[in-house]
Short mmCIF file of all heavy atoms in Angstrom, two decimals:
data_model
loop_
_atom_site.label_atom_id
_atom_site.label_comp_id
_atom_site.label_asym_id
_atom_site.label_seq_id
_atom_site.Cartn_x
_atom_site.Cartn_y
_atom_site.Cartn_z
N GLY O 1 91.87 226.27 165.64
CA GLY O 1 90.66 225.71 165.02
C GLY O 1 90.71 224.23 164.78
O GLY O 1 89.75 223.48 165.12
N GLU O 2 91.79 223.79 164.20
CA GLU O 2 91.91 222.33 163.93
C GLU O 2 92.09 221.58 165.24
O GLU O 2 91.55 220.45 165.37
CB GLU O 2 93.09 222.06 163.02
CG GLU O 2 92.83 222.40 161.56
CD GLU O 2 91.67 221.58 160.94
OE1 GLU O 2 91.45 220.41 161.32
OE2 GLU O 2 90.97 222.16 160.07
N ARG O 3 92.78 222.16 166.24
CA ARG O 3 92.92 221.49 167.56
C ARG O 3 91.54 221.34 168.23
O ARG O 3 91.26 220.33 168.83
CB ARG O 3 93.83 222.29 168.46
CG ARG O 3 95.24 221.82 168.36
CD ARG O 3 96.01 222.35 169.50
NE ARG O 3 97.34 222.63 168.98
CZ ARG O 3 98.26 223.33 169.50
NH1 ARG O 3 98.01 223.94 170.67
NH2 ARG O 3 99.43 223.54 168.99
N ALA O 4 90.72 222.41 168.07
CA ALA O 4 89.37 222.34 168.69
C ALA O 4 88.55 221.24 168.00
O ALA O 4 87.87 220.44 168.69
CB ALA O 4 88.70 223.69 168.56
N LYS O 5 88.62 221.16 166.68
CA LYS O 5 87.87 220.12 165.99
C LYS O 5 88.33 218.76 166.41
O LYS O 5 87.53 217.83 166.67
CB LYS O 5 88.08 220.30 164.45
CG LYS O 5 87.42 219.24 163.62
CD LYS O 5 87.68 219.42 162.18
CE LYS O 5 86.87 218.53 161.32
NZ LYS O 5 87.21 217.39 160.83
N GLN O 6 89.64 218.53 166.54
CA GLN O 6 90.20 217.23 166.94
C GLN O 6 89.81 216.90 168.36
O GLN O 6 89.45 215.78 168.67
CB GLN O 6 91.72 217.22 166.78
CG GLN O 6 92.32 215.86 167.01
CD GLN O 6 91.79 214.81 166.09
OE1 GLN O 6 91.86 214.97 164.84
NE2 GLN O 6 91.29 213.69 166.58
N ALA O 7 89.84 217.89 169.23
CA ALA O 7 89.47 217.68 170.67
C ALA O 7 88.01 217.25 170.74
O ALA O 7 87.67 216.31 171.48
CB ALA O 7 89.72 218.91 171.50
N MET O 8 87.13 217.93 169.98
CA MET O 8 85.71 217.56 170.01
C MET O 8 85.52 216.19 169.44
O MET O 8 84.78 215.35 169.98
CB MET O 8 84.86 218.59 169.21
CG MET O 8 83.39 218.25 169.18
SD MET O 8 82.63 218.22 170.84
CE MET O 8 82.51 219.98 171.16
N SER O 9 86.22 215.88 168.36
CA SER O 9 86.11 214.54 167.74
C SER O 9 86.54 213.47 168.73
O SER O 9 85.86 212.43 168.88
CB SER O 9 86.97 214.50 166.46
OG SER O 9 86.74 213.31 165.81
N ASP O 10 87.65 213.68 169.39
CA ASP O 10 88.14 212.72 170.37
C ASP O 10 87.12 212.48 171.50
O ASP O 10 87.01 211.40 172.03
CB ASP O 10 89.47 213.15 171.02
CG ASP O 10 90.61 213.15 170.03
OD1 ASP O 10 90.52 212.56 168.94
OD2 ASP O 10 91.67 213.81 170.34
N LEU O 11 86.38 213.50 171.80
CA LEU O 11 85.41 213.50 172.89
C LEU O 11 84.10 212.79 172.52
O LEU O 11 83.56 212.05 173.37
CB LEU O 11 85.15 214.93 173.34
CG LEU O 11 84.35 215.16 174.60
CD1 LEU O 11 85.03 214.56 175.82
CD2 LEU O 11 84.21 216.69 174.81
N VAL O 12 83.60 213.00 171.30
CA VAL O 12 82.27 212.59 171.00
C VAL O 12 82.08 211.66 169.80
O VAL O 12 81.00 211.00 169.69
CB VAL O 12 81.31 213.80 170.80
CG1 VAL O 12 81.33 214.72 172.01
CG2 VAL O 12 81.64 214.60 169.52
N TYR O 13 83.02 211.60 168.88
CA TYR O 13 82.80 210.91 167.61
C TYR O 13 82.48 209.44 167.81
O TYR O 13 83.13 208.73 168.51
CB TYR O 13 83.98 211.09 166.69
CG TYR O 13 83.78 210.48 165.32
CD1 TYR O 13 82.83 210.99 164.46
CD2 TYR O 13 84.50 209.35 164.92
CE1 TYR O 13 82.60 210.43 163.21
CE2 TYR O 13 84.29 208.78 163.68
CZ TYR O 13 83.33 209.32 162.82
OH TYR O 13 83.12 208.77 161.59
N MET O 14 81.40 209.01 167.15
CA MET O 14 80.89 207.65 167.17
C MET O 14 80.48 207.16 168.51
O MET O 14 80.51 205.98 168.87
CB MET O 14 81.85 206.68 166.49
CG MET O 14 82.03 206.94 165.02
SD MET O 14 80.52 207.08 164.07
CE MET O 14 79.95 205.36 164.03
N LYS O 15 80.06 208.12 169.38
CA LYS O 15 79.56 207.82 170.72
C LYS O 15 78.08 208.18 170.80
O LYS O 15 77.64 209.09 170.12
CB LYS O 15 80.33 208.56 171.79
CG LYS O 15 81.79 208.12 171.92
CD LYS O 15 82.48 208.87 173.02
CE LYS O 15 83.96 208.47 173.07
NZ LYS O 15 84.69 209.31 174.01
N ASP O 16 77.35 207.44 171.63
CA ASP O 16 75.99 207.84 171.90
C ASP O 16 76.02 209.00 172.88
O ASP O 16 76.72 208.93 173.91
CB ASP O 16 75.21 206.67 172.54
CG ASP O 16 74.83 205.60 171.51
OD1 ASP O 16 74.50 205.97 170.38
OD2 ASP O 16 74.84 204.41 171.90
N ALA O 17 75.33 210.07 172.53
CA ALA O 17 75.32 211.28 173.35
C ALA O 17 73.91 211.63 173.69
O ALA O 17 72.98 211.41 172.90
CB ALA O 17 75.99 212.43 172.63
N GLU O 18 73.71 212.17 174.88
CA GLU O 18 72.41 212.66 175.26
C GLU O 18 72.34 214.14 174.88
O GLU O 18 73.15 214.94 175.28
CB GLU O 18 72.17 212.55 176.78
CG GLU O 18 70.80 212.97 177.20
CD GLU O 18 70.58 212.75 178.65
OE1 GLU O 18 70.44 211.58 179.08
OE2 GLU O 18 70.56 213.77 179.39
N LEU O 19 71.37 214.48 173.98
CA LEU O 19 71.23 215.84 173.50
C LEU O 19 70.01 216.47 174.17
O LEU O 19 68.93 215.99 174.08
CB LEU O 19 70.99 215.83 172.00
CG LEU O 19 72.02 215.12 171.10
CD1 LEU O 19 71.66 215.25 169.65
CD2 LEU O 19 73.40 215.63 171.37
N ASP O 20 70.31 217.57 174.91
CA ASP O 20 69.26 218.34 175.55
C ASP O 20 69.17 219.63 174.69
O ASP O 20 69.87 220.58 174.94
CB ASP O 20 69.61 218.63 176.98
CG ASP O 20 68.55 219.41 177.74
OD1 ASP O 20 67.47 219.66 177.13
OD2 ASP O 20 68.77 219.80 178.89
N CYS O 21 68.27 219.62 173.69
CA CYS O 21 68.19 220.70 172.77
C CYS O 21 67.22 221.77 173.26
O CYS O 21 66.13 221.44 173.69
CB CYS O 21 67.79 220.19 171.39
SG CYS O 21 68.97 218.94 170.78
N ARG O 22 67.70 222.99 173.20
CA ARG O 22 66.90 224.09 173.77
C ARG O 22 66.28 225.05 172.78
O ARG O 22 65.39 225.79 173.09
CB ARG O 22 67.82 224.87 174.72
CG ARG O 22 68.26 223.92 175.85
CD ARG O 22 69.37 224.44 176.69
NE ARG O 22 69.73 223.41 177.66
CZ ARG O 22 70.52 223.61 178.66
NH1 ARG O 22 71.06 224.78 178.88
NH2 ARG O 22 70.80 222.63 179.50
N LYS O 23 66.82 225.06 171.55
CA LYS O 23 66.28 225.93 170.51
C LYS O 23 66.86 225.53 169.17
O LYS O 23 67.75 224.71 169.08
CB LYS O 23 66.51 227.41 170.82
CG LYS O 23 67.97 227.84 170.61
CD LYS O 23 68.13 229.34 170.81
CE LYS O 23 69.44 229.83 170.30
NZ LYS O 23 69.56 231.29 170.37
N ILE O 24 66.36 226.18 168.13
CA ILE O 24 66.87 226.02 166.78
C ILE O 24 67.50 227.38 166.46
O ILE O 24 66.83 228.42 166.62
CB ILE O 24 65.78 225.68 165.74
CG1 ILE O 24 65.04 224.39 166.18
CG2 ILE O 24 66.37 225.57 164.37
CD1 ILE O 24 65.82 223.14 166.12
N ASP O 25 68.76 227.41 165.97
CA ASP O 25 69.36 228.71 165.65
C ASP O 25 68.98 229.18 164.26
O ASP O 25 68.26 228.44 163.56
CB ASP O 25 70.88 228.66 165.89
CG ASP O 25 71.68 227.83 164.86
OD1 ASP O 25 71.09 227.37 163.85
OD2 ASP O 25 72.86 227.68 165.07
N ARG O 26 69.48 230.31 163.88
CA ARG O 26 69.11 230.91 162.60
C ARG O 26 69.62 230.11 161.38
O ARG O 26 69.21 230.33 160.26
CB ARG O 26 69.56 232.34 162.52
CG ARG O 26 71.04 232.53 162.49
CD ARG O 26 71.43 233.96 162.45
NE ARG O 26 72.87 234.11 162.52
CZ ARG O 26 73.49 235.15 162.96
NH1 ARG O 26 72.80 236.15 163.41
NH2 ARG O 26 74.78 235.21 162.99
N TYR O 27 70.53 229.17 161.59
CA TYR O 27 71.04 228.34 160.52
C TYR O 27 70.35 226.97 160.53
O TYR O 27 70.80 226.06 159.79
CB TYR O 27 72.60 228.14 160.68
CG TYR O 27 73.33 229.45 160.71
CD1 TYR O 27 73.87 229.95 161.90
CD2 TYR O 27 73.46 230.21 159.53
CE1 TYR O 27 74.52 231.13 161.92
CE2 TYR O 27 74.09 231.42 159.57
CZ TYR O 27 74.64 231.89 160.78
OH TYR O 27 75.32 233.10 160.78
N GLY O 28 69.35 226.78 161.33
CA GLY O 28 68.59 225.53 161.39
C GLY O 28 69.20 224.45 162.23
O GLY O 28 68.77 223.30 162.18
N ARG O 29 70.27 224.78 162.99
CA ARG O 29 70.87 223.79 163.87
C ARG O 29 70.18 223.72 165.18
O ARG O 29 69.74 224.74 165.72
CB ARG O 29 72.37 224.18 164.10
CG ARG O 29 73.21 224.25 162.85
CD ARG O 29 74.58 224.77 163.14
NE ARG O 29 74.53 226.13 163.67
CZ ARG O 29 75.60 226.89 163.81
NH1 ARG O 29 76.78 226.48 163.53
NH2 ARG O 29 75.45 228.14 164.30
N SER O 30 70.12 222.57 165.75
CA SER O 30 69.59 222.38 167.12
C SER O 30 70.66 222.81 168.08
O SER O 30 71.84 222.35 167.97
CB SER O 30 69.22 220.93 167.38
OG SER O 30 68.19 220.50 166.51
N VAL O 31 70.35 223.70 169.00
CA VAL O 31 71.32 224.15 169.98
C VAL O 31 71.11 223.33 171.25
O VAL O 31 70.08 223.36 171.86
CB VAL O 31 71.16 225.68 170.29
CG1 VAL O 31 72.15 226.16 171.34
CG2 VAL O 31 71.27 226.52 169.02
N CYS O 32 72.15 222.53 171.59
CA CYS O 32 71.99 221.51 172.59
C CYS O 32 73.13 221.46 173.60
O CYS O 32 74.25 221.74 173.27
CB CYS O 32 71.91 220.09 171.96
SG CYS O 32 70.81 219.96 170.57
N ARG O 33 72.79 221.04 174.79
CA ARG O 33 73.79 220.59 175.74
C ARG O 33 74.07 219.13 175.36
O ARG O 33 73.10 218.37 175.18
CB ARG O 33 73.27 220.70 177.17
CG ARG O 33 74.28 220.30 178.19
CD ARG O 33 73.77 220.58 179.59
NE ARG O 33 74.85 220.40 180.59
CZ ARG O 33 74.63 220.03 181.83
NH1 ARG O 33 73.41 219.83 182.24
NH2 ARG O 33 75.66 219.90 182.61
N VAL O 34 75.33 218.76 175.26
CA VAL O 34 75.67 217.44 174.80
C VAL O 34 76.41 216.69 175.90
O VAL O 34 77.46 217.14 176.33
CB VAL O 34 76.58 217.53 173.53
CG1 VAL O 34 77.05 216.15 173.04
CG2 VAL O 34 75.81 218.25 172.39
N MET O 35 75.82 215.59 176.36
CA MET O 35 76.43 214.80 177.41
C MET O 35 76.90 213.46 176.80
O MET O 35 76.14 212.80 176.08
CB MET O 35 75.41 214.53 178.53
CG MET O 35 74.80 215.78 179.13
SD MET O 35 76.01 216.82 180.01
CE MET O 35 76.34 215.84 181.44
N VAL O 36 78.14 213.12 177.06
CA VAL O 36 78.75 211.87 176.55
C VAL O 36 79.21 211.02 177.68
O VAL O 36 79.46 211.52 178.80
CB VAL O 36 79.91 212.18 175.58
CG1 VAL O 36 79.42 212.85 174.32
CG2 VAL O 36 80.99 212.98 176.25
N PRO O 37 79.36 209.70 177.45
CA PRO O 37 79.86 208.81 178.51
C PRO O 37 81.27 209.26 178.93
O PRO O 37 82.10 209.60 178.11
CB PRO O 37 79.92 207.45 177.87
CG PRO O 37 79.02 207.55 176.70
CD PRO O 37 79.04 208.96 176.23
N ALA O 38 81.50 209.33 180.24
CA ALA O 38 82.79 209.71 180.79
C ALA O 38 83.72 208.49 180.83
O ALA O 38 83.28 207.41 181.07
CB ALA O 38 82.60 210.27 182.19
#
């Protein structure tokens, strides 16, 4: 779990990302495909 959080953070944190949001889930979160600069 912590490794997954760190991997995601390394990938996206403080980067501009393109969010292609497809729905809102039952917790009010936008469910999105997230594209970041390679």
